[in-house]
Amino acid sequence: MKKAQSKSPFSAIVFAGGGDRCMWQAGFLTTAAPALGLRPDEVSGASAGSAIACLVFAERTHDGIEFFKEITARNKRNFYPGNIFRGKPAFPHYEMYRKVILNGIDAASLKKLHSGPDIRILMTHPPAWCGPRLGTFIGLSSYVLEKHIAHTVHPVLSSKIGFRGEVVSVRDCTTPGELASVILASSCTPPFMPLQYRNSKPVLDGGLIDNVPVSALARKHDSTLILLTRQYPRTHIPNVPGRTYVMPSIPVPISKWDYTNPKGIQLTFEIGLRDGERFARSYTAAQG
């Protein structure tokens, strides 16, 4: 089917990973998207950013966040050591995360996603020489080194030591369960999540290869909006023609894997609402 031409100011949107911090992206687009008429042709996401992208373009943002707040309000801990002796997961994150995805994306929502922009989800394969568990340790260590010491927006160290990315289009997912598996694979960060596999090969969080997955876009765009989930020094933001990087105006009040904090989820969403409104206003003014 031939696509209608869009006057959207950005033809692509990139959703960075960041766990619960991605609630900021949901709030940002709730106000910025209608104000600016955002209708991208292509979208990319890594980790929880891919989940938010799907909720946004399935028009299920509100329902998804409300459900997430409900189940986190009932969850008392992020770690249940006693479960180890009962043969149950010590971390509740995988089951809760999957429930949020499947509650937000049903068959009708998936059909809507298939007719919208091409949403491309990035995941990471560890090098064969190190195996999945050692690969997890090496991958996470290299990620922390670059992010928290060098403040690199687009990591390169993992790629240099043999990690490789795989991109899956939401259009290739035929059921909500299949989409949930792809998002969970892109979000796989042990020990919070059990190791995931795709085609019998281990996969890890897409953020290990590029937490701000511009690389997952299928083509180069003249205008790309990039939604970060934490603050970076301004001097570290890449100056690339055609790219607009936006980030929270203040540090968001929640950590990546806190599944006990519905208030933090709501406050992070609200910061995004205000930032999206301000961005749309300033962007419109700048365009004259």
Side-chain angles (χ1 to χ4, degrees), residues 45-246:
S47 194
S50 67
I52 295 298
C54 289
L55 289 174
V56 166
F57 290 99
E59 298 179 0
R60 295 280 292 170
T61 302
H62 176 77
D63 293 333
I65 291 177
E66 288 303 309
F67 181 75
F68 190 31
K69 290 194 300 183
E70 288 175 15
I71 64 173
T72 53
R74 296 195 298 267
N75 180 49
K76 302 304 180 184
R77 299 179 181 176
N78 287 306
F79 179 55
Y80 294 86
N83 283 357
I84 297 173
F85 306 102
R86 303 185 188 99
K88 297 180 179 180
F91 294 91
H93 301 78
Y94 177 84
E95 290 299 329
M96 292 175 69
Y97 196 169
R98 187 174 181 86
K99 285 179 181 178
V100 171
I101 298 167
L102 293 177
N103 177 78
I105 308 296
D106 57 13
S109 299
L110 183 59
K111 185 176 181 181
K112 183 183 288 289
L113 290 177
H114 286 170
S115 65
D118 183 16
I119 301 176
R120 300 169 60 80
I121 299 175
L122 179 66
M123 59 188 71
T124 300
H125 290 280
W129 56 264
C130 67
R133 299 193 183 282
L134 179 58
T136 298
F137 175 76
I138 295 173
L140 289 174
S141 297
S142 65
Y143 172 84
V144 170
L145 182 67
E146 285 197 278
K147 283 291 181 182
H148 298 288
I149 297 178
H151 299 289
T152 305
V153 175
H154 299 283
V156 295
L157 184 55
S158 293
S159 298
K160 288 183 177 180
I161 59 179
F163 289 78
R164 63 181 182 84
E166 179 185 353
V167 178
V168 179
S169 172
V170 170
R171 292 175 179 174
D172 293 330
C173 297
T174 58
T175 66
E178 185 178 353
L179 175 59
S181 295
V182 169
I183 293 172
L184 290 166
S186 177
S187 306
C188 180
T189 309
F192 300 104
M193 300 270 287
L195 192 63
Q196 303 293 294
Y197 289 85
R198 181 170 173 80
N199 298 325
S200 301
K201 296 180 180 180
V203 289
L204 298 169
D205 193 304
L208 297 183
I209 204 83
D210 189 356
N211 195 50
V212 186
V214 175
S215 59
L217 296 172
R219 62 183 178 85
K220 185 177 180 180
H221 292 262
D222 293 332
S223 54
T224 301
L225 178 63
I226 300 173
L227 305 176
L228 305 175
T229 59
R230 68 180 183 89
Q231 293 184 311
Y232 290 83
R234 287 286 178 183
T235 54
H236 290 249
I237 300 297
N239 183 14
V240 180
R243 293 186 191 176
T244 300
Y245 290 81
V246 293

